[in-house]
């Protein structure tokens, strides 16, 4: 058996966890488990899971300094409209490319010219200081412009895993990621909160009608 198959299958199982566990799944645990599994497929130095919530983008990782996630969240706020005082043209442009492409695997060369990447405040503040210099990954964009994404970062462009073969392996994870995201949106914490809010509103309406 090809030694690359086992990590791909393990990553597919991790990505599909929301389908298996439904409303009992913790989003943060899912994200951390996914970063471990995708790192084994990608052979990268760092893996981040970008999890959109109602209030902001949340970044999770099993292998990266938590400061990276905080810096990423702050820098990304402008790209998703959460903090218009912190816009970042690179992030906005990259998100637009992925939005138009739909669910799939991506490589940094498809997102922006390298010179534009290195000029970006996001790259300079949130990525380069931590060794996150080159990226590929998988993404599932949402209709509102946000996205679920797992990003595999490499410190060097000649890293053994930073290849088209790895990109092909990542593309095998996309159907599982898409199904996992759909299940998470249907059964996850935000969906539960929305249902609770709706139920409370209906109860209040019923009480008001009776009064």
């Amino acid at each position: 058996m090809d030694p690359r198959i086992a990590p791909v299958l393990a990553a597919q199982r991790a990505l599909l966890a929301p389908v298996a566990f439904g409303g009992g799944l913790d989003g943060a645990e899912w994200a951390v488990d996914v970063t471990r599994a995708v790192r084994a497929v990608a052979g990268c130095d760092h893996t981040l899971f970008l999890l959109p919530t109602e209030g902001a983008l949340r970044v999770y990782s099993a292998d990266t300094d938590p400061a990276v996630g905080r810096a990423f969240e702050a820098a990304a706020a402008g790209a998703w409209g959460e903090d218009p005082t912190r816009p970042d043209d690179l992030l906005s442009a990259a998100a637009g490319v992925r939005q138009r492409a739909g669910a799939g695997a991506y490589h940094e060369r498809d997102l922006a010219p390298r010179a534009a990447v290195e000029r970006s405040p996001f790259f300079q503040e949130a990525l380069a200081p931590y060794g996150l210099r080159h990226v590929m990954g998988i993404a599932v964009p949402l209709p509102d412009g946000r996205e679920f994404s797992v990003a595999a970062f490499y410190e060097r462009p000649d890293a053994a895993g930073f290849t088209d073969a790895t990109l092909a392996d990542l593309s095998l994870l996309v159907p599982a990621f898409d199904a996992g995201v759909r299940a998470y949106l249907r059964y996850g914490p935000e969906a539960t909160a929305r249902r609770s809010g709706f139920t409370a509103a209906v109860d209040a309406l019923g009480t008001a009608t009776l009064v």
Side-chain angles (χ1 to χ4, degrees):
M1 178 184 291
D2 188 328
R4 292 158 54 187
I5 292 177
V8 167
L9 293 175
Q12 289 172 334
R13 286 193 293 270
L15 290 161
L16 285 168
V19 177
F21 294 101
L25 180 75
D26 179 88
E29 291 182 6
W30 175 46
V32 170
D33 287 346
V34 165
T35 63
R36 291 192 185 99
V38 171
R39 186 180 186 188
V41 173
C44 55
D45 299 302
H46 308 277
T47 316
L48 303 182
F49 190 117
L50 282 60
L51 178 72
T53 69
E54 291 287 353
L57 176 72
R58 293 290 174 254
V59 178
Y60 297 96
S61 178
D63 55 44
T64 304
D65 185 337
V68 176
R70 292 191 293 270
F72 199 114
E73 290 168 358
W80 279 273
E82 295 146 10
D83 182 359
T85 66
R86 292 184 59 87
D88 190 287
D89 291 341
L90 173 66
L91 276 177
S92 298
V97 170
R98 290 193 295 270
Q99 187 76 26
R100 291 188 293 274
Y106 64 86
H107 189 286
E108 65 176 33
R109 63 177 175 244
D110 302 318
L111 304 179
R114 186 66 198 175
V117 171
E118 296 187 356
R119 286 196 305 268
S120 165
F122 171 67
F123 178 81
Q124 295 173 8
E125 297 172 12
L127 300 183
Y130 302 98
L132 283 67
R133 304 187 65 87
H134 300 275
V135 67
M136 61 175 69
I138 53 177
V140 177
L142 305 181
D144 63 7
R146 299 180 300 164
E147 68 178 19
F148 285 74
S149 179
V150 185
F153 285 96
Y154 303 81
E155 296 185 7
R156 297 174 55 86
D158 58 354
F162 194 58
T163 66
D164 286 340
T166 298
L167 187 64
D169 288 344
L170 291 174
S171 70
L172 298 176
L173 306 182
V174 174
F177 193 23
D178 190 41
V181 166
R182 291 176 185 274
Y184 181 80
L185 292 173
R186 184 173 182 180
Y187 302 115
E190 289 188 29
T192 301
R194 286 194 297 271
R195 286 194 295 271
S196 298
F198 176 76
T199 301
V202 170
D203 289 346
L205 178 61
T207 302
T209 302
L210 290 172
V211 172

